[in-house]
Amino acid sequence: MTIGGIITAIIFGAIIGAIARLLVPGRQNMPIWLTIVVGIVAAFIGTWIAHLLHLRTHGFNFWETIFQIIVAVIGVLLVTTLWPRRT
């Protein structure tokens, strides 16, 4: 993976994390940096799952994005239940 690929993963991960927070109902008590981290991890895991299942398309890979968003939503749900609430 090149430097450009890493930077793209960070930017796309931040977008995926933000989409996941929008899809999870209610208020999430987690900082923005943690949303970005969840999105980055979800982007890598979602890509891995799509490649593992051989779901490749030409151009924009729809299946990768779907798996990335699903993993990010699960990640946001886990973090919001485990992250301590502010008092």
Side-chain angles (χ1 to χ4, degrees), residues 7 10-11 22 30 54 60 64 78 83:
I7 292 171
I10 292 170
I11 293 169
L22 289 173
M30 59 190 287
H54 302 289
F60 180 74
E64 270 186 32
L78 284 172
W83 194 257

Side-chain angles (χ1 to χ4, degrees), residues 16 20 23 42 63-76:
I16 291 292
L23 292 175
W63 291 109
E64 270 186 32
T65 306
I66 294 298
F67 283 120
Q68 290 169 348
I69 292 172
I70 290 170
V71 172
V73 166
I74 293 168
V76 167

Side-chain angles (χ1 to χ4, degrees), residues 18-59:
I19 291 171
R21 279 190 73 168
L22 289 173
L23 292 175
V24 172
R27 187 167 191 268
Q28 296 86 33
N29 186 28
M30 59 190 287
I32 190 70
W33 65 266
L34 193 55
T35 303
I36 294 170
V37 169
V38 167
I40 292 169
V41 171
F44 284 118
I45 293 173
T47 301
W48 177 75
I49 291 171
H51 286 286
L52 186 69
L53 297 174
H54 302 289
L55 298 173
R56 295 188 179 112
T57 57
H58 299 287

